[in-house]
Amino acid sequence: NDVIAVDVDNKPVAVYLQNYLAQYYNLHLRVRIKPDVAAIYLLIDSTRTKGDYFLNITSRSVKITGNSNGLFYGIQSLLQLLPASGPAPLQVQACEITDEPRFGWRGLSLDVSRHFFTVNEVKKYIDMMSHYKLNVLHWHLTDDEGWRIQIDKYPKLTEIASKISFYEKQGKFRKLDNLIDGGRDGFYTKDDIREVLKYAKERFVTVLPEIELPGHSEAAIFAYPWLGCKDSTGAKHRIVILDPSDSTFNFIQNVLTEVIDLFPNQYIHIGGDEAQVTEWLKSPAAVALMKKEGFTNPAQVQSYFIRRIEKFLLSKNKKMIGWDEILQGGLAESATVMSWEGEAGGITAARMHHPVVM
């Protein structure tokens, strides 16, 4: 028998298995919608809502029972039971597996700013993730070392800010210390991103885009110097932080609008880590803002910055995620905290009844 049985709604999952077996094992099975007899049955059980599944292998057939993502994860366990390589006929141990995910959010991050990865490399990363039943790809798309996402309204972000290692080699940008094999410049077009999102969706991976602010913004400032923190002292040094001016907020909102239009994910990651807030004490715009709001500490400007962006994201029906530094100066009300400096920030945020990703 050479049939994979499936219902019509979950045919893409069956085709995934069919393609995998053909590509890696030269085993060619046919996908059929609810046939009477099959070698592999993918059986939908909509009461299983968490991605849990039941895998039953006997001498007659393989049966995987679950909802859509449960079927997919059951397939991964089946693939793990196959020999690593080798021609047909394939032998699999008869067994029963009952499995469910311990965590709802099973994330892996990919920093494409310090080192650009091609669409095919990102797809390979998603493949590896899905084999291990991970389900959130945190895509770090912007940082000091490069801007990687096409934004129609601001073409210099890809014309200039995506080529930071090129400008470094020309001596027009500071020496970069954390690049591997020259850094690799590049960016994703909107079609590239749509292609990655479609690929991820077929593997039950949600993609979390990250647009870093107000720190880690040197690439954007290099492309559009008016974004950078003005220094009233006239000192010449690296401008590493966004100026909290209306024109900056306008820029961020325009960028995030295009990001939101691309990404169906309910969450948007806005970074918020390692902001050198003392730089704001020299900025006329920041000093005026502190005076207007009655702030005594530049960390409060960080909190103002994050809250203003949060309000905008909420107006677009999106939820905000930031690194644990967004706890400084007061936490935005609906924010989820992603804790990277150990667990302390996550515990603090959880005690404040905020969702946390460790």
Side-chain angles (χ1 to χ4, degrees):
N1 192 320
D2 63 350
V3 170
I4 302 171
V6 72
D7 64 301
V8 68
D9 291 340
N10 291 284
K11 189 180 176 188
V13 179
V15 170
Y16 169 93
L17 176 59
Q18 179 189 39
N19 290 341
Y20 192 96
L21 293 173
Q23 183 178 350
Y24 294 104
Y25 291 96
N26 198 27
L27 182 65
H28 300 279
L29 304 184
R30 295 174 297 148
V31 172
R32 293 284 177 267
I33 306 301
K34 293 191 170 176
D36 293 331
V37 183
I40 300 173
Y41 295 88
L42 303 179
L43 304 168
I44 196 74
D45 177 356
S46 51
T47 64
R48 295 173 180 265
T49 55
K50 295 185 298 193
D52 50 322
Y53 64 89
F54 176 59
L55 171 63
N56 176 250
I57 301 174
T58 68
S59 58
R60 289 185 301 280
S61 66
V62 174
K63 290 180 180 173
I64 301 170
T65 308
N67 70 351
S68 298
N69 56 347
L71 293 179
F72 183 79
Y73 297 138
I75 284 170
Q76 299 308 324
S77 293
L78 173 63
L79 297 178
Q80 287 174 333
L81 291 166
L82 295 176
S85 61
L90 295 174
Q91 288 192 322
V92 186
Q93 178 70 44
C95 65
E96 285 190 352
I97 295 174
T98 305
D99 187 22
E100 66 177 57
R102 183 174 165 202
F103 298 108
W105 181 301
R106 305 182 298 282
L108 193 64
S109 74
L110 183 62
D111 180 349
V112 296
S113 176
R114 274 104 179 193
H115 180 92
F116 181 69
F117 289 91
T118 64
V119 166
N120 282 341
E121 286 169 329
V122 176
K123 284 180 173 179
K124 185 177 178 184
Y125 202 71
I126 291 168
D127 272 333
M128 297 302 292
M129 284 181 72
S130 65
H131 286 323
Y132 290 95
K133 307 183 179 82
L134 301 177
N135 68 347
V136 182
L137 172 65
H138 171 189
W139 209 0
H140 186 79
L141 289 163
T142 73
D143 210 303
D144 295 334
E145 293 82 7
W147 185 284
R148 305 297 179 208
I149 175 171
Q150 176 189 352
I151 303 293
D152 298 334
K153 196 163 180 115
Y154 301 106
K156 287 183 184 173
L157 291 173
T158 41
E159 287 165 14
I160 294 172
S162 73
K163 302 187 174 105
I164 291 299
S165 51
F166 166 77
Y167 286 105
E168 182 227 38
K169 289 181 184 88
Q170 295 207 322
K172 292 177 182 172
F173 194 88
R174 69 174 171 86
K175 181 132 184 52
L176 300 175
D177 55 3
N178 52 1
L179 297 183
I180 300 162
D181 46 294
R184 267 217 266 176
D185 285 332
F187 69 92
Y188 307 106
T189 65
K190 288 190 171 179
D191 281 343
D192 288 339
I193 286 174
R194 289 184 192 104
E195 188 182 328
V196 168
L197 289 173
K198 179 177 182 289
Y199 195 84
K201 188 180 180 186
E202 288 165 359
R203 285 152 186 78
F204 297 89
V205 170
T206 303
V207 183
L208 170 69
E210 181 182 359
I211 305 294
E212 268 276 6
L213 55 98
H216 286 280
S217 298
E218 259 187 295
I221 293 166
F222 186 71
Y224 293 102
W226 51 267
L227 289 169
C229 188
K230 311 294 177 288
D231 190 338
S232 56
T233 67
K236 283 274 175 257
H237 54 71
R238 279 172 59 193
I239 299 173
V240 296
I241 195 164
L242 298 171
D243 210 37
S245 64
D246 285 340
S247 55
T248 297
F249 285 109
N250 197 30
F251 167 85
I252 294 168
Q253 290 180 1
N254 289 334
V255 166
L256 289 176
T257 297
E258 293 193 33
V259 171
I260 287 164
D261 287 345
L262 269 176
F263 287 87
N265 182 21
Q266 66 181 126
Y267 292 100
I268 303 287
H269 199 311
I270 52 80
D273 65 313
E274 299 182 322
Q276 297 178 4
V277 296
T278 51
E279 296 289 308
W280 280 328
L281 294 173
K282 304 172 200 157
S283 154
V287 169
L289 176 69
M290 287 177 73
K291 198 170 175 184
K292 180 177 160 236
E293 298 288 335
F295 296 156
T296 54
N297 183 325
Q300 292 167 290
V301 178
Q302 160 93 333
S303 180
Y304 170 91
F305 207 107
I306 302 297
R307 279 188 168 132
R308 190 159 163 181
I309 300 307
E310 176 206 30
K311 195 173 169 187
F312 173 74
L313 289 173
L314 287 173
S315 77
K316 297 277 192 180
N317 294 317
K318 294 290 181 180
K319 295 177 183 174
M320 185 179 82
I321 294 184
W323 297 115
D324 34 298
E325 283 97 332
I326 68 170
L327 288 160
Q328 293 160 17
L331 184 56
E333 278 154 43
S334 70
T336 295
V337 170
M338 189 176 272
S339 195
W340 74 279
E341 298 179 292
E343 295 181 350
I347 291 166
T348 301
R351 285 191 176 136
M352 295 163 69
H353 304 288
H354 283 265
V356 172
V357 181
M358 287 294 191

